[in-house]
Amino acid sequence: MSMRFTARARRGAAALAVVAALAGGAAGCGGGGDDGKRPDHPASAARTTGSNPGTQEGRSDQPLAELRGSDGLGLQITSAQRDSGGFVTVDGTLKNDGSQSVVIPSALSGNETEIIKNGRSLGGATLVDPKGKKRYYVLRDTDGRPLTTTGFSTLRAGDTLAVFMQFPAPPVNEVEFQLPTFSSATLHISG
């Protein structure tokens, strides 16, 4: 299988995920009640303000994990979902609990040249399989762009940013999530 075909297949899968997310979002705009289902994963991040954006998006009030970072930054992991394509998508909310604007640390992008040259991202995130003793890095496309939220630099006091990261799926359901400058946390992968 050629790299060009593989890249096209990945882009096609990403486009399908975007369409599914948009369709799921449009379906959720009706006046019906909350049936407890979580919306499909957004393929891009959205900036929100307020103290509880997860409830506004129809997500559970209880995050899977809460991680503390530097300068008042926090990361709430709201889902870790395995899909049939062999990927795990981790969704969450990056928030600034501090009283001043914070420049997002460049360390969150990791230290790989291919990822760094594509700007700020969460490309430094990893999933660790403690049983298999393997580390899973954020996926990237054929141009080296990480399959994660990108293009952010500053978060004002009290603001939040919906984020996602996509990884190859480990063979286990319990993994350790790590992101530079943040505490680590154990996640249960659903799906």
Side-chain angles (χ1 to χ4, degrees), residues 8-111:
R8 238 185 257 143
R10 282 187 191 145
R11 281 191 220 117
L16 181 60
V18 169
V19 170
L22 291 174
C29 290
D34 182 12
D35 60 4
K37 293 183 182 175
R38 294 166 77 138
D40 287 337
H41 169 266
S44 63
R47 232 178 253 274
T48 61
T49 58
S51 60
N52 198 352
T55 303
Q56 295 169 356
E57 296 170 3
R59 294 185 178 163
S60 171
D61 289 339
Q62 294 297 320
L64 295 178
E66 293 191 44
L67 293 75
R68 301 300 328 152
S70 59
D71 298 322
L73 289 176
L75 177 63
Q76 285 189 340
I77 304 291
T78 55
S79 72
Q81 184 72 36
R82 183 185 311 270
D83 70 17
S84 60
F87 305 108
V88 169
T89 302
V90 175
D91 290 311
T93 303
L94 185 64
K95 60 183 182 173
N96 179 358
D97 288 329
S99 60
Q100 297 181 6
S101 291
V102 173
V103 174
I104 304 299
S106 61
L108 298 185
S109 298
N111 58 9

Side-chain angles (χ1 to χ4, degrees), residues 127-187:
L127 297 179
V128 177
D129 169 5
K131 292 181 182 175
K133 298 181 181 174
K134 281 185 123 178
R135 182 177 302 272
Y136 296 84
Y137 293 87
V138 168
L139 291 168
R140 61 197 82 157
D141 67 15
T142 56
D143 293 325
R145 291 183 300 249
L147 299 182
T148 180
T149 305
T150 60
F152 52 89
S153 61
T154 304
L155 204 56
R156 293 181 302 202
D159 277 2
T160 60
L161 176 68
V163 296
F164 79 96
M165 295 145 275
Q166 200 167 46
F167 302 90
V172 296
N173 290 331
E174 295 286 335
V175 293
E176 184 175 328
F177 175 83
Q178 298 177 342
L179 181 64
T181 77
F182 280 80
S183 56
S184 61
T186 301
L187 299 180

